[in-house]
Amino acid sequence: MKKILYSLMAAVVALASVGCAAPAPQQNEVRVISYNIRYMNDKDGDNSWKFRKQASINMVNEEQPTVFGLQEAVKAQVDFLQENLPDYAYYGVGRNDGKESGEFMAIFYKKEAVELLDHGTFWLAATPDTPTKGWDGQCFRTCTWTIFKCKDTGKQFAFLNTHLDHKGKVAQQEGMKTIVKKIGELIPKDMPVFLSGDFNTRTDNPIYEPLKAIMADSRELATETDHRGTYTGWKVRETPVVVDHIFVRGVEVDKFQVLCDKNYGAPYISDHYPVMTTARF
């Protein structure tokens, strides 16, 4: 019965969202989302991907991000989003082999709004150009990077997307240093930058010191913001767990929000809430 109710709920939300989507970003404005989509795992029961996948489509269609970064997505999930979001294209590779194996740090972008100029993926490891685990990390971890040009203004910006290890403390620290180093190598110093991700830590952790030297937390910069938790574990948590962040450089941040107030067609869209930043160049 629950499965039937979830399916009906998704259908109702999908229909209701037609015509009530957020207005597209205005000229000189970029709307970005970081979204840990939760990998496909049948052990999630009523929260399994098959009961949440339409909600992910509904969320994107309603929020209308210019660019969004996924964490934990496997190839089948990436393919589903690509097939059902015709206004978007993506770049991303599997973290286990640099092809299709393992989770993707996929970056989706609205084709009519931006043009993809360059892209790549590096591993959070001592050998960042080779698929490998880093230090004491429990998993292969990557960071995907892209450079876009806004079609209306010609303005260029970089968008990076990552997922730090959930256990390895050295891997978290050294992984962050690797990201900062690669930003310096890959991105021109005068180019605006967004870094989205599930960092598995709060921003008061010392591992952020190298990153804070070159970028700022959009949650703290935003004119309109909130401080709600981003990880749920499929339940309401008394103490907020804030591990999903969007860092920025070279932009004015108008709004930061945790997308936890809307029902996109499932009780929980994931075990993390998406977070969204609206910024201007």
Side-chain angles (χ1 to χ4, degrees):
M1 179 61 70
K2 285 185 178 180
K3 295 178 181 179
I4 295 173
L5 289 173
Y6 290 171
S7 298
L8 289 172
M9 187 184 303
V12 169
V13 172
L15 290 171
S17 64
V18 175
C20 67
Q26 300 176 359
Q27 190 176 58
N28 209 38
E29 182 182 82
V30 175
R31 188 178 300 153
V32 302
I33 284 177
S34 180
Y35 177 30
N36 183 322
I37 201 168
R38 174 65 176 178
Y39 66 94
M40 296 173 68
N41 184 349
D42 289 339
K43 293 181 180 179
D44 288 337
D46 290 336
N47 293 309
S48 296
W49 171 245
K50 59 187 175 182
F51 303 125
R52 301 184 289 111
K53 61 184 182 179
Q54 184 59 47
S56 290
I57 301 300
N58 296 344
M59 183 273 291
V60 175
N61 284 333
E62 181 164 343
E63 304 303 338
Q64 293 288 300
T66 312
V67 184
F68 64 93
L70 299 178
Q71 301 91 40
E72 289 198 21
V74 297
K75 186 64 164 55
Q77 290 171 298
V78 173
D79 288 347
F80 178 81
L81 265 63
Q82 179 68 98
E83 292 166 4
N84 290 277
L85 294 170
D87 293 339
Y88 290 83
Y90 84 92
Y91 163 71
V93 299
R95 69 185 185 184
N96 292 349
D97 62 358
K99 297 177 183 178
E100 296 186 354
S101 175
E103 296 168 11
F104 284 56
M105 299 303 105
I107 295 174
F108 279 74
Y109 58 95
K110 184 171 284 190
K111 293 181 288 186
E112 70 174 14
V114 295
E115 175 186 355
L116 179 63
L117 300 179
D118 202 358
H119 59 76
T121 294
F122 56 87
W123 278 257
L124 306 186
T127 54
D129 297 325
T130 303
T132 186
K133 291 182 184 179
W135 303 282
D136 60 346
Q138 299 296 299
C139 304
F140 287 75
R141 298 292 183 181
T142 60
C143 180
T144 292
W145 62 273
T146 48
I147 295 178
F148 294 104
K149 180 175 73 173
C150 296
K151 291 186 176 181
D152 56 358
T153 64
K155 187 71 175 179
Q156 296 184 15
F157 66 95
F159 186 97
L160 297 90
N161 181 49
T162 195
H163 190 179
L164 293 189
D165 202 71
H166 61 301
K167 289 188 176 181
K169 302 305 181 184
V170 177
Q172 291 177 350
Q173 182 179 43
E174 296 301 320
M176 188 71 81
K177 290 179 181 178
T178 301
I179 292 170
V180 171
K181 182 174 183 291
K182 284 291 187 178
I183 289 175
E185 294 174 354
L186 297 168
I187 313 301
K189 291 184 179 180
D190 60 348
M191 181 177 287
V193 182
F194 297 86
L195 169 64
S196 70
D198 173 2
F199 293 84
N200 275 307
T201 58
R202 296 173 56 90
T203 55
D204 56 0
N205 190 303
I207 68 168
Y208 290 92
E209 291 178 5
L211 182 62
K212 289 179 178 179
I214 64 168
M215 301 185 73
D217 182 2
S218 65
R219 183 191 291 258
E220 301 301 327
L221 281 185
T223 304
E224 180 181 348
T225 192
D226 71 57
H227 292 83
R228 290 175 287 191
T230 66
Y231 173 73
T232 68
W234 315 116
K235 62 183 179 181
V236 176
R237 306 185 75 90
E238 293 183 5
T239 302
V241 179
V242 184
V243 294
D244 302 272
H245 314 296
I246 300 173
F247 283 81
V248 298
R249 182 184 81 185
V251 297
E252 297 290 331
V253 181
D254 292 327
K255 188 174 184 178
F256 174 92
Q257 59 188 127
V258 181
L259 301 178
C260 60
D261 292 331
K262 299 179 182 179
N263 187 329
Y264 297 107
Y268 288 98
I269 189 172
S270 173
D271 61 343
H272 291 242
Y273 291 121
V275 298
M276 182 167 71
T277 290
T278 302
R280 291 176 289 110
F281 297 121

